[in-house]
Amino acid sequence: MSKLIKPAGYSPLLDCVQTEQGIKLIKEFFQQNLSTELRLRRVTAPLFVLKGLGINDDLNGVERAVTFPIKELGDAKAEVVHSLAKWKRMKLAEDHIPPGYGIYTDMNAIRADEELDNLHSLYVDQWDWEAVITPEQRTQKSLREIVQRIYGAIRRTEYLACEWYPQLKPFLPETIHFVHAEELLRQYPDLSPKEREDEVCKKYGAVFVIGIGAKLSNGEKHDGRAPDYDDWSTVDEDGFVGLNGDILIWYPVLQRSIELSSMGIRVDKDALLRQLEIEDKNDRRELFFHRQLLDGKLPLSIGGGIGQSRLCMVLLHKAHIGEIQASIWPDSMRQECREAGMPLI
């Protein structure tokens, strides 16, 4: 059964040329704002890393990385990155970035196991960013301050897009609402995590859900997170578990919530050991990245990823991410999209 959402009466507000111009406008303006807000400098990042070093992002732990042999290295295997969550932290150490400053980069990935729909593609492009913090900043208060600054950059970019194309009308609220995943469970005990996100985003317009990866009081996770980058198990001064989360918005075009960013304060030595134990992944302690962290060679940091095509999609009021990026889609989906007025690139 198709998972495609086909909004009734949908018609793109921008033609193909305007769309391409709008993509350029949004990408250039937003990354400059992000860089200024968080004091980040741009760096060049890899498309692939060597397999077996523990550098690649494991996402939910079940997705297969695209791999290929390298002739000049005796057919050693390389993996196309899923994201750069761990690589960025190593880059901070390599470049001796001081607290209060960081890096960002264009991350391009292939996720062969992705279930394709309006929001998910085989091709992933995002701004991956990472900043050095002090031990005192490993709090939910610091996390919330960073989220508000990122959301401010998103709203400024929305304003620019609407100024450039008057047929687009702004829909993002002035402020972003914060809620812990456990609070959502208590508010909507009979709903699935995705349904909870829809309800809270419909109510507030923009929401940051805290605590992604830890088991909630019902014994289930709100969503999966690998145990070795985000800190989802530390109990903060507010009494809730988790120093990470997702930026979500309510998207009127599709009448559903959409995740724009996954981010968080990264694990320190104690959190890494605790989360590897919780997830029964203690064998990872001997991998290169994990040894670097356990030996104190990596700085404390906060970081995340912000979807480039997805941000362009919502700010240009598109119904399918394939209207923004060139990818591969099933013939049946292309046909459905064509009939629904969603022209895929």
Side-chain angles (χ1 to χ4, degrees), residues 57-308:
D57 181 359
D58 292 281
L59 299 177
N60 292 322
V62 297
E63 295 88 350
R64 299 171 299 167
V66 175
T67 62
F68 60 92
I70 305 172
K71 180 181 177 181
E72 288 291 323
L73 296 181
D75 280 347
K77 294 293 181 62
E79 294 180 337
V80 176
V81 296
H82 278 145
S83 85
L84 297 169
K86 300 169 190 171
W87 177 87
K88 291 177 297 181
R89 198 164 176 183
M90 296 172 62
K91 183 66 173 174
L92 291 177
E94 179 184 330
D95 289 0
H96 305 289
I97 304 292
Y101 295 86
I103 59 175
Y104 80 95
T105 190
D106 293 290
M107 192 285 298
N108 298 289
I110 300 171
R111 296 183 182 172
D113 289 334
E114 198 72 85
E115 295 184 8
L116 307 182
D117 56 25
N118 298 68
L119 301 176
H120 298 91
S121 169
L122 299 175
Y123 170 64
V124 178
D125 57 340
Q126 63 185 36
W127 291 284
D128 253 332
W129 65 274
E130 199 84 11
V132 179
I133 59 174
T134 64
E136 295 73 27
Q137 291 176 303
R138 298 191 78 257
T139 65
Q140 279 192 20
K141 181 173 183 281
S142 296
L143 175 66
R144 292 178 185 221
E145 289 173 354
I146 295 292
V147 169
Q148 289 171 331
R149 288 157 69 179
I150 293 173
Y151 184 67
I154 292 173
R155 287 195 69 237
R156 286 193 294 275
T157 308
E158 180 192 43
Y159 177 79
L160 177 69
C162 293
E163 281 288 292
W164 202 265
Y165 301 107
Q167 62 268 48
L168 303 177
K169 304 303 178 186
F171 63 89
L172 293 175
E174 183 176 346
T175 59
I176 186 167
H177 177 74
F178 291 87
V179 65
H180 193 277
E182 180 65 33
E183 293 178 278
L184 276 186
L185 174 61
R186 295 174 186 175
Q187 293 173 22
Y188 308 106
D190 299 325
L191 301 182
S192 69
K194 181 65 187 69
E195 291 169 337
R196 289 175 219 146
E197 290 177 355
D198 283 345
E199 288 300 317
V200 73
C201 285
K202 188 185 301 183
K203 181 176 181 179
Y204 293 103
V207 178
F208 186 75
V209 178
I210 303 170
I212 308 292
K215 287 186 178 180
L216 304 177
S217 59
N218 65 351
E220 300 175 357
K221 299 178 181 180
H222 183 84
D223 199 359
R225 278 295 186 279
D228 41 19
Y229 58 96
D230 278 357
D231 185 340
W232 41 255
S233 63
T234 292
V235 179
D236 196 61
E237 67 269 13
D238 294 329
F240 285 115
V241 175
L243 298 176
N244 72 336
D246 291 341
I247 295 177
L248 306 164
I249 63 161
W250 178 255
Y251 189 41
V253 174
L254 296 181
Q255 288 293 296
R256 57 158 291 172
S257 61
I258 290 183
E259 175 193 323
L260 293 182
S261 175
S262 171
M263 58 173 288
I265 292 172
R266 307 309 196 185
V267 291
D268 58 9
K269 178 179 178 179
D270 292 340
L272 175 64
L273 292 174
R274 180 170 58 249
Q275 292 178 185
L276 289 178
E277 181 69 29
I278 291 172
E279 296 296 307
D280 194 23
K281 300 289 186 181
N282 283 321
D283 57 313
R284 295 189 186 181
R285 294 185 185 188
E286 301 308 315
L287 296 174
F288 176 76
F289 169 82
H290 302 72
R291 285 262 45 101
Q292 293 282 302
L293 179 53
L294 293 174
D295 291 343
K297 296 180 179 179
L298 302 180
L300 299 176
S301 68
I302 182 172
I306 303 165
Q308 295 187 14

